[in-house]
Amino acid sequence: MENKKISVKNLNLFYGEKQALFNIDMDIKENEVTALIGPSGCGKSTFLRTLNRMNDLIDGVKITGEIFIDDNDINKDDDVIKLRTKVGMVFQKPNPFPMSIYDNVAYGPKIHGLKDRKKLDKIVEESLKAAALWDEVKDRLKSPAAGMSGGQQQRLCIARTIAMKPEVILMDEPTSALDPISTMKIEELILSLKENYTIVIVTHNMQQAARISDKTAFFLNGKVVEFDKTDIIFSNPQDMRTEDYITGRFG
Ligand SMILES: Nc1ncnc2c1ncn2[C@@H]1O[C@H](COP(=O)(O)OP(=O)(O)OP(=O)(O)O)[C@@H](O)[C@H]1O
Ligand SMILES: [Mg+2]
């Protein structure tokens, strides 16, 4: 399982005149969890969004360099919808749609034209199981998603992403709005998901990065200072700035 899934080459990103990412090179392997850490404003979310072209939605963004996913240069491909199906995203604040639990998960497949009730039922069940939520909600699939706890809502958002059968899942601080028990459940879930998906996660929680990731990239001022196996980053970082950050001297 040492296959390269994503390859970023000399990536630069500008918001208008202001450069936010500088010369980023990164190879992300299939079935690994890659954590992005670093102080506020260092470009973690910006970088994450480049991986499914979410920055396209922001006016005045310019990108140079290349991002290959399975050897396709994603910025040269016109089919952004297909890209965002393949590369799903989970946000910081759980954002379920104002509809039932079932409809939240079925929403994407329905939009893509799936009408067969049995097939939808199957996707909903499988996705909720994969998101470790099925047992908690199987008897109230028709209830509004808004009635769930924050942690359940975040797992529902993960189920909604899984329902689209992505290959890569991007997560931007997915547990920062959650209590410790919900956070632990999401961390366990991430570890189980990596069997089937490639996961890139932004986190401010260093223990979390250490617990769940295989590789860690330390960002500072729009640059990747150090990118390595997680145990090396946390036990034997090669760059003084990484060491200062992980030991809490700044950020
Ligand atoms: N839509 C935008 N327009 C202009 N500048 C932006 C935009 N989004 C982010 N920036 C700037 O780009 C830089 C990187 O921001 P980004 O949100 O990627 O950082 P981050 O590492 O995710 O920070 P945080 O940990 O606070 O979420 C910051 O200087 C930020 O102000
Ligand atoms: Mg951010």
PDB file of all heavy atoms in Angstrom, residues 13-16 18-21 37-49 55 58-59 61 92 172-173 202-204 219 222, ligand 1:
ATOM      1  N   LEU A  13       0.217  29.794  -4.469  1.00  0.00           N
ATOM      2  CA  LEU A  13      -1.148  30.330  -4.558  1.00  0.00           C
ATOM      3  C   LEU A  13      -1.156  31.778  -4.109  1.00  0.00           C
ATOM      4  O   LEU A  13      -0.509  32.146  -3.119  1.00  0.00           O
ATOM      5  CB  LEU A  13      -2.106  29.498  -3.694  1.00  0.00           C
ATOM      6  CG  LEU A  13      -3.580  29.952  -3.771  1.00  0.00           C
ATOM      7  CD1 LEU A  13      -4.530  28.760  -3.738  1.00  0.00           C
ATOM      8  CD2 LEU A  13      -3.928  30.944  -2.648  1.00  0.00           C
ATOM      9  N   PHE A  14      -1.871  32.591  -4.880  1.00  0.00           N
ATOM     10  CA  PHE A  14      -1.986  34.023  -4.595  1.00  0.00           C
ATOM     11  C   PHE A  14      -3.453  34.387  -4.401  1.00  0.00           C
ATOM     12  O   PHE A  14      -4.304  33.987  -5.199  1.00  0.00           O
ATOM     13  CB  PHE A  14      -1.456  34.844  -5.780  1.00  0.00           C
ATOM     14  CG  PHE A  14      -0.026  34.541  -6.140  1.00  0.00           C
ATOM     15  CD1 PHE A  14       0.296  33.412  -6.915  1.00  0.00           C
ATOM     16  CD2 PHE A  14       1.006  35.374  -5.721  1.00  0.00           C
ATOM     17  CE1 PHE A  14       1.612  33.130  -7.264  1.00  0.00           C
ATOM     18  CE2 PHE A  14       2.331  35.098  -6.066  1.00  0.00           C
ATOM     19  CZ  PHE A  14       2.633  33.974  -6.835  1.00  0.00           C
ATOM     20  N   TYR A  15      -3.733  35.146  -3.328  1.00  0.00           N
ATOM     21  CA  TYR A  15      -5.037  35.811  -3.203  1.00  0.00           C
ATOM     22  C   TYR A  15      -4.820  37.225  -3.721  1.00  0.00           C
ATOM     23  O   TYR A  15      -4.273  38.068  -3.004  1.00  0.00           O
ATOM     24  CB  TYR A  15      -5.478  35.865  -1.741  1.00  0.00           C
ATOM     25  CG  TYR A  15      -5.857  34.528  -1.136  1.00  0.00           C
ATOM     26  CD1 TYR A  15      -5.088  33.958  -0.127  1.00  0.00           C
ATOM     27  CD2 TYR A  15      -7.006  33.847  -1.543  1.00  0.00           C
ATOM     28  CE1 TYR A  15      -5.440  32.748   0.459  1.00  0.00           C
ATOM     29  CE2 TYR A  15      -7.367  32.633  -0.971  1.00  0.00           C
ATOM     30  CZ  TYR A  15      -6.589  32.089   0.028  1.00  0.00           C
ATOM     31  OH  TYR A  15      -6.939  30.889   0.611  1.00  0.00           O
ATOM     32  N   GLY A  16      -5.187  37.488  -4.960  1.00  0.00           N
ATOM     33  CA  GLY A  16      -4.860  38.783  -5.557  1.00  0.00           C
ATOM     34  C   GLY A  16      -3.351  38.945  -5.594  1.00  0.00           C
ATOM     35  O   GLY A  16      -2.630  38.107  -6.135  1.00  0.00           O
ATOM     36  N   LYS A  18      -1.493  39.012  -2.894  1.00  0.00           N
ATOM     37  CA  LYS A  18      -0.866  38.420  -1.719  1.00  0.00           C
ATOM     38  C   LYS A  18      -0.619  36.930  -1.906  1.00  0.00           C
ATOM     39  O   LYS A  18      -1.543  36.154  -2.151  1.00  0.00           O
ATOM     40  CB  LYS A  18      -1.803  38.628  -0.512  1.00  0.00           C
ATOM     41  CG  LYS A  18      -1.181  38.229   0.802  1.00  0.00           C
ATOM     42  CD  LYS A  18      -2.142  38.542   1.961  1.00  0.00           C
ATOM     43  CE  LYS A  18      -1.701  37.904   3.244  1.00  0.00           C
ATOM     44  NZ  LYS A  18      -1.962  36.450   3.350  1.00  0.00           N
ATOM     45  N   GLN A  19       0.636  36.549  -1.762  1.00  0.00           N
ATOM     46  CA  GLN A  19       0.961  35.135  -1.915  1.00  0.00           C
ATOM     47  C   GLN A  19       0.704  34.404  -0.608  1.00  0.00           C
ATOM     48  O   GLN A  19       1.159  34.834   0.458  1.00  0.00           O
ATOM     49  CB  GLN A  19       2.426  34.962  -2.353  1.00  0.00           C
ATOM     50  CG  GLN A  19       2.763  33.516  -2.676  1.00  0.00           C
ATOM     51  CD  GLN A  19       4.039  33.354  -3.479  1.00  0.00           C
ATOM     52  OE1 GLN A  19       4.722  34.340  -3.769  1.00  0.00           O
ATOM     53  NE2 GLN A  19       4.362  32.130  -3.836  1.00  0.00           N
ATOM     54  N   ALA A  20      -0.030  33.289  -0.696  1.00  0.00           N
ATOM     55  CA  ALA A  20      -0.376  32.546   0.524  1.00  0.00           C
ATOM     56  C   ALA A  20       0.306  31.180   0.598  1.00  0.00           C
ATOM     57  O   ALA A  20       0.480  30.639   1.688  1.00  0.00           O
ATOM     58  CB  ALA A  20      -1.886  32.376   0.628  1.00  0.00           C
ATOM     59  N   LEU A  21       0.694  30.613  -0.551  1.00  0.00           N
ATOM     60  CA  LEU A  21       1.433  29.344  -0.543  1.00  0.00           C
ATOM     61  C   LEU A  21       2.671  29.497  -1.418  1.00  0.00           C
ATOM     62  O   LEU A  21       2.609  30.104  -2.493  1.00  0.00           O
ATOM     63  CB  LEU A  21       0.561  28.198  -1.082  1.00  0.00           C
ATOM     64  CG  LEU A  21      -0.699  27.826  -0.304  1.00  0.00           C
ATOM     65  CD1 LEU A  21      -1.477  26.728  -1.042  1.00  0.00           C
ATOM     66  CD2 LEU A  21      -0.384  27.376   1.119  1.00  0.00           C
ATOM     67  N   ILE A  37      -0.258  20.633  10.046  1.00  0.00           N
ATOM     68  CA  ILE A  37      -0.249  21.412  11.285  1.00  0.00           C
ATOM     69  C   ILE A  37       0.496  22.724  11.052  1.00  0.00           C
ATOM     70  O   ILE A  37       1.217  22.872  10.057  1.00  0.00           O
ATOM     71  CB  ILE A  37       0.401  20.638  12.460  1.00  0.00           C
ATOM     72  CG1 ILE A  37       1.883  20.321  12.174  1.00  0.00           C
ATOM     73  CG2 ILE A  37      -0.354  19.334  12.733  1.00  0.00           C
ATOM     74  CD1 ILE A  37       2.658  19.832  13.403  1.00  0.00           C
ATOM     75  N   GLY A  38       0.335  23.637  11.990  1.00  0.00           N
ATOM     76  CA  GLY A  38       1.023  24.922  11.902  1.00  0.00           C
ATOM     77  C   GLY A  38       0.160  26.021  12.473  1.00  0.00           C
ATOM     78  O   GLY A  38      -1.048  25.838  12.650  1.00  0.00           O
ATOM     79  N   PRO A  39       0.783  27.185  12.782  1.00  0.00           N
ATOM     80  CA  PRO A  39       0.033  28.264  13.438  1.00  0.00           C
ATOM     81  C   PRO A  39      -1.063  28.846  12.551  1.00  0.00           C
ATOM     82  O   PRO A  39      -1.071  28.649  11.334  1.00  0.00           O
ATOM     83  CB  PRO A  39       1.101  29.309  13.751  1.00  0.00           C
ATOM     84  CG  PRO A  39       2.267  28.974  12.896  1.00  0.00           C
ATOM     85  CD  PRO A  39       2.200  27.515  12.604  1.00  0.00           C
ATOM     86  N   SER A  40      -1.974  29.566  13.162  1.00  0.00           N
ATOM     87  CA  SER A  40      -3.088  30.186  12.451  1.00  0.00           C
ATOM     88  C   SER A  40      -2.573  31.089  11.328  1.00  0.00           C
ATOM     89  O   SER A  40      -1.620  31.832  11.513  1.00  0.00           O
ATOM     90  CB  SER A  40      -3.894  31.002  13.462  1.00  0.00           C
ATOM     91  OG  SER A  40      -5.056  31.477  12.846  1.00  0.00           O
ATOM     92  N   GLY A  41      -3.210  30.962  10.163  1.00  0.00           N
ATOM     93  CA  GLY A  41      -2.860  31.832   9.038  1.00  0.00           C
ATOM     94  C   GLY A  41      -1.677  31.361   8.209  1.00  0.00           C
ATOM     95  O   GLY A  41      -1.227  32.058   7.299  1.00  0.00           O
ATOM     96  N   CYS A  42      -1.176  30.139   8.484  1.00  0.00           N
ATOM     97  CA  CYS A  42       0.016  29.676   7.763  1.00  0.00           C
ATOM     98  C   CYS A  42      -0.320  29.016   6.425  1.00  0.00           C
ATOM     99  O   CYS A  42       0.579  28.644   5.675  1.00  0.00           O
ATOM    100  CB  CYS A  42       0.825  28.717   8.632  1.00  0.00           C
ATOM    101  SG  CYS A  42      -0.026  27.171   8.942  1.00  0.00           S
ATOM    102  N   GLY A  43      -1.609  28.853   6.121  1.00  0.00           N
ATOM    103  CA  GLY A  43      -1.978  28.341   4.798  1.00  0.00           C
ATOM    104  C   GLY A  43      -2.494  26.916   4.751  1.00  0.00           C
ATOM    105  O   GLY A  43      -2.668  26.355   3.666  1.00  0.00           O
ATOM    106  N   LYS A  44      -2.785  26.334   5.904  1.00  0.00           N
ATOM    107  CA  LYS A  44      -3.246  24.941   5.929  1.00  0.00           C
ATOM    108  C   LYS A  44      -4.556  24.761   5.162  1.00  0.00           C
ATOM    109  O   LYS A  44      -4.681  23.882   4.315  1.00  0.00           O
ATOM    110  CB  LYS A  44      -3.442  24.463   7.388  1.00  0.00           C
ATOM    111  CG  LYS A  44      -2.203  24.590   8.254  1.00  0.00           C
ATOM    112  CD  LYS A  44      -2.474  24.162   9.704  1.00  0.00           C
ATOM    113  CE  LYS A  44      -3.520  24.982  10.438  1.00  0.00           C
ATOM    114  NZ  LYS A  44      -3.158  26.386  10.692  1.00  0.00           N
ATOM    115  N   SER A  45      -5.544  25.603   5.495  1.00  0.00           N
ATOM    116  CA  SER A  45      -6.849  25.465   4.827  1.00  0.00           C
ATOM    117  C   SER A  45      -6.731  25.797   3.349  1.00  0.00           C
ATOM    118  O   SER A  45      -7.352  25.145   2.507  1.00  0.00           O
ATOM    119  CB  SER A  45      -7.886  26.396   5.467  1.00  0.00           C
ATOM    120  OG  SER A  45      -8.092  26.038   6.806  1.00  0.00           O
ATOM    121  N   THR A  46      -5.941  26.809   3.050  1.00  0.00           N
ATOM    122  CA  THR A  46      -5.734  27.185   1.651  1.00  0.00           C
ATOM    123  C   THR A  46      -5.163  26.010   0.875  1.00  0.00           C
ATOM    124  O   THR A  46      -5.651  25.658  -0.208  1.00  0.00           O
ATOM    125  CB  THR A  46      -4.760  28.390   1.564  1.00  0.00           C
ATOM    126  OG1 THR A  46      -5.349  29.496   2.267  1.00  0.00           O
ATOM    127  CG2 THR A  46      -4.494  28.778   0.126  1.00  0.00           C
ATOM    128  N   PHE A  47      -4.159  25.361   1.458  1.00  0.00           N
ATOM    129  CA  PHE A  47      -3.557  24.207   0.787  1.00  0.00           C
ATOM    130  C   PHE A  47      -4.569  23.079   0.631  1.00  0.00           C
ATOM    131  O   PHE A  47      -4.719  22.497  -0.452  1.00  0.00           O
ATOM    132  CB  PHE A  47      -2.330  23.711   1.564  1.00  0.00           C
ATOM    133  CG  PHE A  47      -1.737  22.465   0.965  1.00  0.00           C
ATOM    134  CD1 PHE A  47      -1.031  22.522  -0.222  1.00  0.00           C
ATOM    135  CD2 PHE A  47      -1.923  21.229   1.571  1.00  0.00           C
ATOM    136  CE1 PHE A  47      -0.507  21.368  -0.802  1.00  0.00           C
ATOM    137  CE2 PHE A  47      -1.407  20.071   0.996  1.00  0.00           C
ATOM    138  CZ  PHE A  47      -0.696  20.139  -0.186  1.00  0.00           C
ATOM    139  N   LEU A  48      -5.299  22.789   1.709  1.00  0.00           N
ATOM    140  CA  LEU A  48      -6.300  21.708   1.659  1.00  0.00           C
ATOM    141  C   LEU A  48      -7.295  21.967   0.527  1.00  0.00           C
ATOM    142  O   LEU A  48      -7.646  21.065  -0.229  1.00  0.00           O
ATOM    143  CB  LEU A  48      -7.029  21.634   3.004  1.00  0.00           C
ATOM    144  CG  LEU A  48      -7.849  20.372   3.254  1.00  0.00           C
ATOM    145  CD1 LEU A  48      -6.923  19.180   3.508  1.00  0.00           C
ATOM    146  CD2 LEU A  48      -8.788  20.550   4.451  1.00  0.00           C
ATOM    147  N   ARG A  49      -7.736  23.217   0.419  1.00  0.00           N
ATOM    148  CA  ARG A  49      -8.739  23.562  -0.609  1.00  0.00           C
ATOM    149  C   ARG A  49      -8.204  23.441  -2.031  1.00  0.00           C
ATOM    150  O   ARG A  49      -8.986  23.270  -2.965  1.00  0.00           O
ATOM    151  CB  ARG A  49      -9.278  24.980  -0.378  1.00  0.00           C
ATOM    152  CG  ARG A  49     -10.202  25.121   0.816  1.00  0.00           C
ATOM    153  CD  ARG A  49     -10.989  26.427   0.742  1.00  0.00           C
ATOM    154  NE  ARG A  49     -10.140  27.603   0.740  1.00  0.00           N
ATOM    155  CZ  ARG A  49      -9.845  28.323   1.824  1.00  0.00           C
ATOM    156  NH1 ARG A  49     -10.339  27.989   2.997  1.00  0.00           N
ATOM    157  NH2 ARG A  49      -9.057  29.378   1.734  1.00  0.00           N
ATOM    158  N   ASN A  55     -10.736  26.563  -3.936  1.00  0.00           N
ATOM    159  CA  ASN A  55     -10.325  27.968  -4.075  1.00  0.00           C
ATOM    160  C   ASN A  55     -10.843  28.604  -5.361  1.00  0.00           C
ATOM    161  O   ASN A  55     -10.855  29.826  -5.482  1.00  0.00           O
ATOM    162  CB  ASN A  55      -8.795  28.090  -4.021  1.00  0.00           C
ATOM    163  CG  ASN A  55      -8.238  27.725  -2.661  1.00  0.00           C
ATOM    164  OD1 ASN A  55      -8.658  28.262  -1.649  1.00  0.00           O
ATOM    165  ND2 ASN A  55      -7.301  26.788  -2.625  1.00  0.00           N
ATOM    166  N   ILE A  58     -13.264  31.334  -4.949  1.00  0.00           N
ATOM    167  CA  ILE A  58     -12.865  32.624  -4.386  1.00  0.00           C
ATOM    168  C   ILE A  58     -12.311  33.509  -5.509  1.00  0.00           C
ATOM    169  O   ILE A  58     -11.446  33.076  -6.279  1.00  0.00           O
ATOM    170  CB  ILE A  58     -11.788  32.426  -3.287  1.00  0.00           C
ATOM    171  CG1 ILE A  58     -12.319  31.494  -2.184  1.00  0.00           C
ATOM    172  CG2 ILE A  58     -11.349  33.759  -2.716  1.00  0.00           C
ATOM    173  CD1 ILE A  58     -11.260  31.030  -1.187  1.00  0.00           C
ATOM    174  N   ASP A  59     -12.826  34.736  -5.593  1.00  0.00           N
ATOM    175  CA  ASP A  59     -12.382  35.670  -6.638  1.00  0.00           C
ATOM    176  C   ASP A  59     -10.910  36.020  -6.493  1.00  0.00           C
ATOM    177  O   ASP A  59     -10.424  36.209  -5.382  1.00  0.00           O
ATOM    178  CB  ASP A  59     -13.185  36.989  -6.531  1.00  0.00           C
ATOM    179  CG  ASP A  59     -14.430  36.922  -7.391  1.00  0.00           C
ATOM    180  OD1 ASP A  59     -14.542  35.958  -8.182  1.00  0.00           O
ATOM    181  OD2 ASP A  59     -15.277  37.820  -7.261  1.00  0.00           O
ATOM    182  N   VAL A  61      -8.150  34.381  -7.081  1.00  0.00           N
ATOM    183  CA  VAL A  61      -7.145  33.383  -6.704  1.00  0.00           C
ATOM    184  C   VAL A  61      -6.371  32.936  -7.937  1.00  0.00           C
ATOM    185  O   VAL A  61      -6.958  32.644  -8.980  1.00  0.00           O
ATOM    186  CB  VAL A  61      -7.790  32.158  -6.025  1.00  0.00           C
ATOM    187  CG1 VAL A  61      -6.800  31.017  -5.892  1.00  0.00           C
ATOM    188  CG2 VAL A  61      -8.326  32.539  -4.654  1.00  0.00           C
ATOM    189  N   GLN A  92     -15.060  22.227   9.456  1.00  0.00           N
ATOM    190  CA  GLN A  92     -14.861  22.380  10.887  1.00  0.00           C
ATOM    191  C   GLN A  92     -16.171  22.289  11.663  1.00  0.00           C
ATOM    192  O   GLN A  92     -16.283  21.571  12.649  1.00  0.00           O
ATOM    193  CB  GLN A  92     -14.206  23.750  11.103  1.00  0.00           C
ATOM    194  CG  GLN A  92     -13.969  24.115  12.538  1.00  0.00           C
ATOM    195  CD  GLN A  92     -13.126  25.378  12.658  1.00  0.00           C
ATOM    196  OE1 GLN A  92     -12.907  26.094  11.672  1.00  0.00           O
ATOM    197  NE2 GLN A  92     -12.665  25.650  13.848  1.00  0.00           N
ATOM    198  N   ASP A 172     -11.058  19.647   7.433  1.00  0.00           N
ATOM    199  CA  ASP A 172     -10.466  20.873   7.977  1.00  0.00           C
ATOM    200  C   ASP A 172     -10.904  21.046   9.422  1.00  0.00           C
ATOM    201  O   ASP A 172     -12.030  21.452   9.691  1.00  0.00           O
ATOM    202  CB  ASP A 172     -10.888  22.084   7.131  1.00  0.00           C
ATOM    203  CG  ASP A 172      -9.976  23.284   7.386  1.00  0.00           C
ATOM    204  OD1 ASP A 172      -9.212  23.249   8.372  1.00  0.00           O
ATOM    205  OD2 ASP A 172     -10.033  24.249   6.601  1.00  0.00           O
ATOM    206  N   GLU A 173     -10.039  20.710  10.336  1.00  0.00           N
ATOM    207  CA  GLU A 173     -10.314  20.781  11.779  1.00  0.00           C
ATOM    208  C   GLU A 173     -11.672  20.159  12.130  1.00  0.00           C
ATOM    209  O   GLU A 173     -12.521  20.816  12.737  1.00  0.00           O
ATOM    210  CB  GLU A 173     -10.265  22.237  12.252  1.00  0.00           C
ATOM    211  CG  GLU A 173      -8.922  22.900  11.970  1.00  0.00           C
ATOM    212  CD  GLU A 173      -8.821  24.270  12.632  1.00  0.00           C
ATOM    213  OE1 GLU A 173      -9.169  24.357  13.824  1.00  0.00           O
ATOM    214  OE2 GLU A 173      -8.408  25.229  11.978  1.00  0.00           O
ATOM    215  N   VAL A 202      -6.499  18.770   8.506  1.00  0.00           N
ATOM    216  CA  VAL A 202      -5.904  19.914   9.189  1.00  0.00           C
ATOM    217  C   VAL A 202      -6.283  19.818  10.652  1.00  0.00           C
ATOM    218  O   VAL A 202      -7.453  19.583  10.979  1.00  0.00           O
ATOM    219  CB  VAL A 202      -6.463  21.247   8.628  1.00  0.00           C
ATOM    220  CG1 VAL A 202      -5.963  22.431   9.470  1.00  0.00           C
ATOM    221  CG2 VAL A 202      -6.070  21.429   7.172  1.00  0.00           C
ATOM    222  N   THR A 203      -5.311  19.968  11.528  1.00  0.00           N
ATOM    223  CA  THR A 203      -5.652  19.975  12.944  1.00  0.00           C
ATOM    224  C   THR A 203      -4.736  20.913  13.724  1.00  0.00           C
ATOM    225  O   THR A 203      -3.564  21.059  13.406  1.00  0.00           O
ATOM    226  CB  THR A 203      -5.615  18.559  13.562  1.00  0.00           C
ATOM    227  OG1 THR A 203      -5.946  18.650  14.950  1.00  0.00           O
ATOM    228  CG2 THR A 203      -4.265  17.886  13.413  1.00  0.00           C
ATOM    229  N   HIS A 204      -5.326  21.566  14.725  1.00  0.00           N
ATOM    230  CA  HIS A 204      -4.537  22.381  15.649  1.00  0.00           C
ATOM    231  C   HIS A 204      -4.127  21.555  16.855  1.00  0.00           C
ATOM    232  O   HIS A 204      -3.379  22.033  17.713  1.00  0.00           O
ATOM    233  CB  HIS A 204      -5.367  23.580  16.133  1.00  0.00           C
ATOM    234  CG  HIS A 204      -5.260  24.748  15.226  1.00  0.00           C
ATOM    235  ND1 HIS A 204      -4.189  25.602  15.255  1.00  0.00           N
ATOM    236  CD2 HIS A 204      -6.054  25.191  14.232  1.00  0.00           C
ATOM    237  CE1 HIS A 204      -4.349  26.536  14.332  1.00  0.00           C
ATOM    238  NE2 HIS A 204      -5.471  26.307  13.686  1.00  0.00           N
ATOM    239  N   PHE A 219       3.441  23.493   8.442  1.00  0.00           N
ATOM    240  CA  PHE A 219       3.371  24.706   7.626  1.00  0.00           C
ATOM    241  C   PHE A 219       3.753  25.916   8.463  1.00  0.00           C
ATOM    242  O   PHE A 219       3.417  26.004   9.640  1.00  0.00           O
ATOM    243  CB  PHE A 219       1.926  24.942   7.131  1.00  0.00           C
ATOM    244  CG  PHE A 219       1.529  24.127   5.936  1.00  0.00           C
ATOM    245  CD1 PHE A 219       1.333  22.766   6.039  1.00  0.00           C
ATOM    246  CD2 PHE A 219       1.320  24.737   4.698  1.00  0.00           C
ATOM    247  CE1 PHE A 219       0.938  22.017   4.934  1.00  0.00           C
ATOM    248  CE2 PHE A 219       0.921  23.991   3.593  1.00  0.00           C
ATOM    249  CZ  PHE A 219       0.733  22.631   3.706  1.00  0.00           C
ATOM    250  N   GLY A 222       3.011  29.961   4.903  1.00  0.00           N
ATOM    251  CA  GLY A 222       2.724  29.546   3.528  1.00  0.00           C
ATOM    252  C   GLY A 222       3.711  28.560   2.935  1.00  0.00           C
ATOM    253  O   GLY A 222       3.601  28.189   1.769  1.00  0.00           O
TER     254      GLY A 222
HETATM  255  N1  LIG B   1     -10.444  34.188   0.822  1.00  0.00           N
HETATM  256  C1  LIG B   1      -9.290  34.779   1.128  1.00  0.00           C
HETATM  257  N2  LIG B   1      -8.946  35.958   0.579  1.00  0.00           N
HETATM  258  C2  LIG B   1      -7.778  36.552   0.887  1.00  0.00           C
HETATM  259  N3  LIG B   1      -6.872  36.049   1.746  1.00  0.00           N
HETATM  260  C3  LIG B   1      -7.170  34.869   2.324  1.00  0.00           C
HETATM  261  C4  LIG B   1      -8.390  34.181   2.060  1.00  0.00           C
HETATM  262  N4  LIG B   1      -8.397  33.032   2.780  1.00  0.00           N
HETATM  263  C5  LIG B   1      -7.237  33.020   3.477  1.00  0.00           C
HETATM  264  N5  LIG B   1      -6.503  34.119   3.210  1.00  0.00           N
HETATM  265  C6  LIG B   1      -5.167  34.444   3.760  1.00  0.00           C
HETATM  266  O1  LIG B   1      -4.264  33.408   3.424  1.00  0.00           O
HETATM  267  C7  LIG B   1      -3.422  33.087   4.519  1.00  0.00           C
HETATM  268  C8  LIG B   1      -3.590  31.623   4.893  1.00  0.00           C
HETATM  269  O2  LIG B   1      -4.910  31.433   5.412  1.00  0.00           O
HETATM  270  P1  LIG B   1      -5.497  30.010   5.776  1.00  0.00           P
HETATM  271  O3  LIG B   1      -6.927  30.194   6.083  1.00  0.00           O
HETATM  272  O4  LIG B   1      -5.140  29.062   4.699  1.00  0.00           O
HETATM  273  O5  LIG B   1      -4.662  29.656   7.079  1.00  0.00           O
HETATM  274  P2  LIG B   1      -4.844  28.459   8.118  1.00  0.00           P
HETATM  275  O6  LIG B   1      -3.476  27.880   8.313  1.00  0.00           O
HETATM  276  O7  LIG B   1      -5.931  27.557   7.690  1.00  0.00           O
HETATM  277  O8  LIG B   1      -5.252  29.235   9.451  1.00  0.00           O
HETATM  278  P3  LIG B   1      -6.218  28.758  10.658  1.00  0.00           P
HETATM  279  O9  LIG B   1      -5.407  27.802  11.468  1.00  0.00           O
HETATM  280  O10 LIG B   1      -6.481  30.017  11.421  1.00  0.00           O
HETATM  281  O11 LIG B   1      -7.448  28.157  10.069  1.00  0.00           O
HETATM  282  C9  LIG B   1      -3.803  34.054   5.633  1.00  0.00           C
HETATM  283  O12 LIG B   1      -2.930  35.148   5.587  1.00  0.00           O
HETATM  284  C10 LIG B   1      -5.205  34.463   5.281  1.00  0.00           C
HETATM  285  O13 LIG B   1      -5.475  35.755   5.747  1.00  0.00           O
END
